[in-house]
Amino acid sequence: MDSAVSSRSSAEQGAKRQVSLTFYGDVRSEAVAGDDVLLCPADPIHREALHDAALMSEVARGSVEAFSVLVDRHSPALYRVAMRMLSDGAEAEDVVQDCFTRLWQNAPRWKPSGAGLVGWLHRVTMNLCFDRKRRFRVVTVETLPDPADDSPLPDRRIEADQAARGVADALADLPERYRAALVLCYYEGFTNALAAEVLDLNIKAMESLLFRARRQMRGLLEARDISTGDLEAQA
């Protein structure tokens, strides 16, 4: 995760330095480059306390500072979601960066509604994950085994590590919509209504999807001799 934060920070710094030339290149570039007033509609000290809609209003006018606050505020959750959907740190980083690129590009047209910016960001992230899963199918390759660790570990630590790997493998074996339902409702703590909006479902369809996802996940865990208590420990 440190590498993800480092990569994201470098990307953000690059965006701040070259926003009008290389990062987004939309109709706001000339305004950002030529009108410094647009960069300071609010005291930067207080931006952290602004709610998402207010920050989006600033982003729509070209504020890179407000954009950076939103990146810092929401990227950890989006990375967690993308990582659990794709099981690949580099792919998850790319998804988060793509999501925020779309946020910048769509900011002038964004309107608060329904689940607000949180719902919008998670919907975009999920759709990007679905697209990547469809484009890049898993290819089996020869992998080098992890180097043996001779240092003694307590039995409980070993069991916890094994349970964590088993839960991650079971989650990866689920159909992508089932996985999305569990990631949002179980791991991220979304309400059924919010998850339904993210996945573009009505509440009844969301509840049915979640029921089926839990049932299949339970079967996968039982096949791996993992208890529901182990699952709760990973959430």
Side-chain angles (χ1 to χ4, degrees):
M1 187 62 183
D2 290 340
S3 62
V5 173
S6 175
S7 298
R8 176 168 52 79
S9 298
S10 298
E12 291 164 24
Q13 291 169 1
K16 292 178 183 178
R17 289 195 299 270
Q18 304 182 50
V19 64
S20 64
L21 298 177
T22 60
F23 189 57
Y24 302 109
D26 64 4
V27 295
R28 289 169 293 153
S29 297
E30 293 181 4
V32 173
D35 190 352
D36 291 338
V37 175
L38 293 179
L39 294 177
C40 305
D43 186 342
I45 295 176
H46 301 297
R47 276 200 174 89
E48 292 282 354
L50 292 178
H51 56 76
D52 288 344
L55 287 167
M56 283 299 292
S57 295
E58 291 193 44
V59 176
R61 293 194 294 268
S63 172
V64 179
E65 290 181 74
F67 175 74
S68 296
V69 172
L70 290 174
V71 170
D72 290 340
R73 181 178 294 178
H74 295 291
S75 58
L78 299 181
Y79 179 85
R80 287 196 306 269
V81 167
M83 185 63 185
R84 286 190 169 115
M85 291 297 297
L86 301 172
S87 302
D88 185 300
E91 290 288 330
E93 288 180 33
D94 288 345
V95 162
V96 173
Q97 290 177 359
D98 287 349
C99 180
F100 281 107
T101 296
R102 296 189 184 200
L103 175 69
W104 177 273
Q105 293 170 338
N106 287 280
R109 298 176 293 280
W110 184 85
K111 301 293 181 185
S113 63
L117 187 64
V118 169
W120 189 92
L121 287 170
H122 280 80
R123 186 183 309 117
V124 172
T125 297
M126 278 295 180
N127 287 336
L128 288 169
C129 288
F130 292 156
D131 288 344
R132 283 174 182 266
K133 292 293 285 186
R134 283 189 284 268
R135 289 203 310 267
F136 305 112
R137 296 300 178 186
V138 175
V139 178
T140 302
V141 296
E142 291 293 329
T143 57
L144 294 176
D146 293 332
D149 185 355
D150 295 329
S151 60
L153 287 175
D155 290 345
R156 188 164 299 185
R157 171 67 181 277
I158 294 173
E159 292 173 358
D161 289 344
Q162 291 173 340
R165 287 194 295 270
V167 170
D169 289 345
L171 191 66
D173 286 345
L174 288 172
E176 62 183 22
R177 300 289 284 186
Y178 287 9
R179 190 182 319 133
L182 289 181
V183 166
L184 292 175
C185 294
Y186 191 85
Y187 289 99
E188 295 301 314
F190 279 28
T191 64
N192 289 359
L194 179 52
E197 185 166 336
V198 170
L199 296 176
D200 197 22
L201 299 171
N202 61 50
I203 190 66
K204 290 289 188 183
M206 182 66 217
E207 290 172 350
S208 177
L209 177 66
L210 191 56
F211 173 79
R212 296 194 305 274
R214 284 173 172 160
R215 182 175 59 188
Q216 186 161 338
M217 184 68 169
R218 188 179 301 113
L220 291 170
L221 292 175
E222 289 173 355
R224 291 170 168 83
D225 293 324
I226 299 173
S227 68
T228 55
D230 292 323
L231 177 59
E232 291 170 0
Q234 310 307 319

